[in-house]
Amino acid sequence: MGTTQAIILGDIDSDGDLDIVVGNTGSHNKSYLNNGNGTFAVGRNITSEIYATRAIGLGDINGDGTLDIIVGNHNDEVNTFYLNDGNGSFGIEHNISTDTDSTKSIVLGDIDGDGTLDIITGNDSTQNHIYSRKSFNVESNIGTSIRVDDGSFPINRILLVPTEVLPINTSIEYYLK
Protein backbone atom coordinates (compact mmCIF):
# COMPACT_ATOMS: atom_id res chain seq x y z
CA MET A 1 0.00 0.00 0.00
CA GLY A 2 1.33 3.43 -0.92
CA THR A 3 1.43 6.71 0.91
CA THR A 4 -0.69 9.68 -0.11
CA GLN A 5 1.52 12.72 -0.67
CA ALA A 6 -0.86 15.18 -2.35
CA ILE A 7 -4.63 15.84 -2.48
CA ILE A 8 -6.59 18.29 -4.60
CA LEU A 9 -10.29 18.99 -5.12
CA GLY A 10 -11.96 19.80 -8.43
CA ASP A 11 -14.98 18.90 -10.54
CA ILE A 12 -13.25 16.39 -12.81
CA ASP A 13 -16.46 14.75 -14.09
CA SER A 14 -18.22 18.05 -14.87
CA ASP A 15 -21.30 17.32 -12.77
CA GLY A 16 -21.12 20.37 -10.50
CA ASP A 17 -19.66 18.83 -7.33
CA LEU A 18 -16.11 18.52 -6.04
CA ASP A 19 -14.23 15.30 -6.63
CA ILE A 20 -10.98 14.21 -4.97
CA VAL A 21 -7.70 13.43 -6.72
CA VAL A 22 -4.83 11.94 -4.71
CA GLY A 23 -1.17 11.56 -5.56
CA ASN A 24 0.51 8.54 -4.02
CA THR A 25 4.00 7.20 -3.64
CA GLY A 26 4.23 3.43 -4.08
CA SER A 27 0.71 2.94 -5.44
CA HIS A 28 -1.54 4.30 -8.17
CA ASN A 29 -2.71 7.90 -8.19
CA LYS A 30 -6.48 7.82 -7.80
CA SER A 31 -9.61 9.85 -8.36
CA TYR A 32 -12.72 9.66 -6.21
CA LEU A 33 -15.90 10.94 -7.87
CA ASN A 34 -18.41 12.69 -5.63
CA ASN A 35 -21.83 11.00 -5.67
CA GLY A 36 -23.48 14.40 -5.11
CA ASN A 37 -24.40 13.76 -1.49
CA GLY A 38 -20.97 13.99 0.13
CA THR A 39 -20.12 10.33 -0.41
CA PHE A 40 -17.62 9.14 -2.97
CA ALA A 41 -17.36 6.31 -5.45
CA VAL A 42 -14.61 3.74 -5.04
CA GLY A 43 -11.26 5.20 -6.08
CA ARG A 44 -10.25 4.74 -9.70
CA ASN A 45 -6.67 4.50 -10.87
CA ILE A 46 -5.82 7.48 -13.02
CA THR A 47 -3.43 5.32 -15.05
CA SER A 48 -1.63 2.02 -14.71
CA GLU A 49 1.72 3.65 -13.90
CA ILE A 50 3.04 3.92 -10.36
CA TYR A 51 5.28 6.85 -9.52
CA ALA A 52 6.64 8.61 -6.47
CA THR A 53 4.08 11.42 -6.81
CA ARG A 54 4.52 14.41 -4.51
CA ALA A 55 2.33 17.05 -6.17
CA ILE A 56 -1.00 17.17 -8.03
CA GLY A 57 -2.47 20.04 -10.01
CA LEU A 58 -5.75 20.49 -11.86
CA GLY A 59 -6.33 22.79 -14.79
CA ASP A 60 -7.67 22.89 -18.33
CA ILE A 61 -4.36 22.68 -20.17
CA ASN A 62 -5.79 21.72 -23.58
CA GLY A 63 -8.63 24.24 -23.64
CA ASP A 64 -11.56 21.80 -23.88
CA GLY A 65 -13.33 23.06 -20.74
CA THR A 66 -12.49 20.11 -18.48
CA LEU A 67 -9.95 19.77 -15.68
CA ASP A 68 -6.86 17.79 -16.63
CA ILE A 69 -4.50 16.28 -14.04
CA ILE A 70 -0.89 17.42 -13.77
CA VAL A 71 1.42 15.23 -11.69
CA GLY A 72 4.73 16.17 -10.06
CA ASN A 73 6.92 13.15 -9.40
CA HIS A 74 9.90 12.67 -7.13
CA ASN A 75 12.95 10.38 -7.30
CA ASP A 76 14.18 11.75 -10.63
CA GLU A 77 11.00 10.74 -12.50
CA VAL A 78 9.45 12.86 -15.25
CA ASN A 79 6.40 14.98 -14.49
CA THR A 80 3.29 14.00 -16.40
CA PHE A 81 -0.20 15.12 -17.30
CA TYR A 82 -3.40 13.31 -18.19
CA LEU A 83 -6.13 14.77 -20.40
CA ASN A 84 -9.71 14.49 -19.14
CA ASP A 85 -12.34 12.95 -21.42
CA GLY A 86 -15.03 15.16 -19.82
CA ASN A 87 -16.48 12.38 -17.66
CA GLY A 88 -13.67 12.08 -15.13
CA SER A 89 -11.64 9.46 -16.98
CA PHE A 90 -8.15 10.14 -18.19
CA GLY A 91 -6.30 9.03 -21.29
CA ILE A 92 -2.71 8.13 -21.84
CA GLU A 93 0.16 9.64 -19.94
CA HIS A 94 1.94 12.63 -21.45
CA ASN A 95 5.34 13.82 -20.26
CA ILE A 96 5.54 17.54 -19.57
CA SER A 97 9.19 17.39 -20.64
CA THR A 98 12.22 15.14 -20.32
CA ASP A 99 13.30 16.92 -17.11
CA THR A 100 13.71 14.46 -14.24
CA ASP A 101 13.67 16.75 -11.24
CA SER A 102 12.32 15.79 -7.86
CA THR A 103 9.17 17.91 -7.93
CA LYS A 104 7.51 18.78 -4.63
CA SER A 105 4.87 21.28 -5.77
CA ILE A 106 2.95 22.30 -8.89
CA VAL A 107 0.87 25.37 -9.64
CA LEU A 108 -0.84 26.47 -12.84
CA GLY A 109 -1.40 29.99 -14.09
CA ASP A 110 -1.08 32.16 -17.16
CA ILE A 111 2.47 33.41 -16.53
CA ASP A 112 3.16 34.71 -20.06
CA GLY A 113 -0.26 36.32 -20.66
CA ASP A 114 -1.18 34.27 -23.73
CA GLY A 115 -4.53 33.09 -22.34
CA THR A 116 -3.39 29.49 -21.67
CA LEU A 117 -2.29 27.82 -18.46
CA ASP A 118 1.42 27.39 -17.84
CA ILE A 119 2.87 24.85 -15.39
CA ILE A 120 5.27 25.91 -12.64
CA THR A 121 7.13 23.26 -10.66
CA GLY A 122 8.87 23.58 -7.31
CA ASN A 123 11.74 21.11 -7.19
CA ASP A 124 13.91 19.63 -4.47
CA SER A 125 17.64 20.45 -4.65
CA THR A 126 17.46 21.88 -8.17
CA GLN A 127 16.03 24.89 -9.95
CA ASN A 128 12.29 25.36 -10.26
CA HIS A 129 10.80 25.40 -13.76
CA ILE A 130 8.17 27.29 -15.74
CA TYR A 131 6.66 25.32 -18.61
CA SER A 132 4.94 27.82 -20.87
CA ARG A 133 2.01 26.31 -22.77
CA LYS A 134 3.94 27.37 -25.86
CA SER A 135 6.81 25.07 -24.84
CA PHE A 136 4.93 21.80 -24.39
CA ASN A 137 2.58 20.09 -26.79
CA VAL A 138 -0.37 18.31 -25.18
CA GLU A 139 -0.46 15.79 -27.99
CA SER A 140 3.21 14.93 -28.50
CA ASN A 141 4.91 14.60 -25.09
CA ILE A 142 7.40 17.35 -25.94
CA GLY A 143 8.32 20.22 -23.70
CA THR A 144 11.09 22.52 -22.64
CA SER A 145 11.26 24.74 -19.61
CA ILE A 146 12.59 28.02 -18.42
CA ARG A 147 14.58 27.62 -15.24
CA VAL A 148 13.48 30.09 -12.63
CA ASP A 149 16.25 32.42 -11.43
CA ASP A 150 18.83 31.43 -14.05
CA GLY A 151 18.49 34.74 -15.89
CA SER A 152 16.44 33.40 -18.81
CA PHE A 153 13.16 34.50 -17.24
CA PRO A 154 13.32 37.72 -15.28
CA ILE A 155 11.71 37.30 -11.87
CA ASN A 156 11.16 40.58 -10.08
CA ARG A 157 11.87 40.26 -6.41
CA ILE A 158 9.69 42.54 -4.37
CA LEU A 159 9.13 43.23 -0.73
CA LEU A 160 5.63 44.18 0.35
CA VAL A 161 5.62 46.58 3.25
CA PRO A 162 2.20 47.59 4.57
CA THR A 163 1.74 51.31 5.11
CA GLU A 164 -0.69 50.64 7.92
CA VAL A 165 -1.42 47.95 10.47
CA LEU A 166 -3.69 45.35 8.91
CA PRO A 167 -6.14 43.07 10.72
CA ILE A 168 -5.21 39.41 11.09
CA ASN A 169 -6.06 37.25 8.03
CA THR A 170 -6.14 40.23 5.66
CA SER A 171 -5.61 39.22 2.05
CA ILE A 172 -3.20 41.33 0.01
CA GLU A 173 -3.33 41.19 -3.77
CA TYR A 174 -0.58 42.58 -5.97
CA TYR A 175 0.22 42.55 -9.64
CA LEU A 176 3.50 42.86 -11.49
CA LYS A 177 3.65 44.51 -14.89
Side-chain angles (χ1 to χ4, degrees):
M1 176 145 218
T3 303
T4 297
Q5 299 287 332
I7 298 175
I8 194 163
L9 298 173
D11 185 10
I12 62 172
D13 58 357
S14 305
D15 66 355
D17 50 34
L18 291 175
D19 307 303
I20 301 171
V21 179
V22 297
N24 297 311
T25 294
S27 67
H28 298 284
N29 295 329
K30 293 187 179 288
S31 64
Y32 298 86
L33 300 181
N34 191 326
N35 293 323
N37 60 3
T39 64
F40 293 85
V42 174
R44 299 190 300 181
N45 294 344
I46 295 169
T47 67
S48 60
E49 295 84 10
I50 295 176
Y51 289 111
T53 298
R54 296 290 173 93
I56 293 275
L58 292 174
D60 182 11
I61 61 173
N62 64 344
D64 68 353
T66 62
L67 293 176
D68 306 306
I69 297 176
I70 300 85
V71 177
N73 295 313
H74 201 62
N75 296 338
D76 297 321
E77 298 169 340
V78 296
N79 295 326
T80 57
F81 64 90
Y82 305 89
L83 299 178
N84 191 334
D85 70 357
N87 296 312
S89 294
F90 298 87
I92 63 170
E93 168 185 293
H94 297 274
N95 296 335
I96 294 171
S97 75
T98 58
D99 295 332
T100 55
D101 301 315
S102 292
T103 298
K104 295 261 184 143
S105 62
I106 286 182
V107 295
L108 288 91
D110 185 7
I111 294 291
D112 55 12
D114 67 354
T116 62
L117 290 178
D118 307 307
I119 301 170
I120 301 93
T121 61
N123 301 312
D124 185 18
S125 302
T126 188
Q127 289 178 308
N128 301 320
H129 296 271
I130 297 172
Y131 299 92
S132 168
R133 176 61 181 85
K134 296 175 194 170
S135 74
F136 67 93
N137 183 319
V138 295
E139 279 79 34
S140 68
N141 294 340
I142 297 171
T144 57
S145 71
I146 299 167
R147 296 181 189 280
V148 176
D149 278 343
D150 73 349
S152 63
F153 187 81
I155 300 291
N156 294 321
R157 293 191 174 127
I158 61 169
L159 174 63
L160 297 178
V161 180
T163 57
E164 61 184 88
V165 177
L166 300 173
I168 295 175
N169 296 326
T170 298
S171 174
I172 299 174
E173 295 183 22
Y174 63 94
Y175 302 91
L176 298 176
K177 289 189 173 196

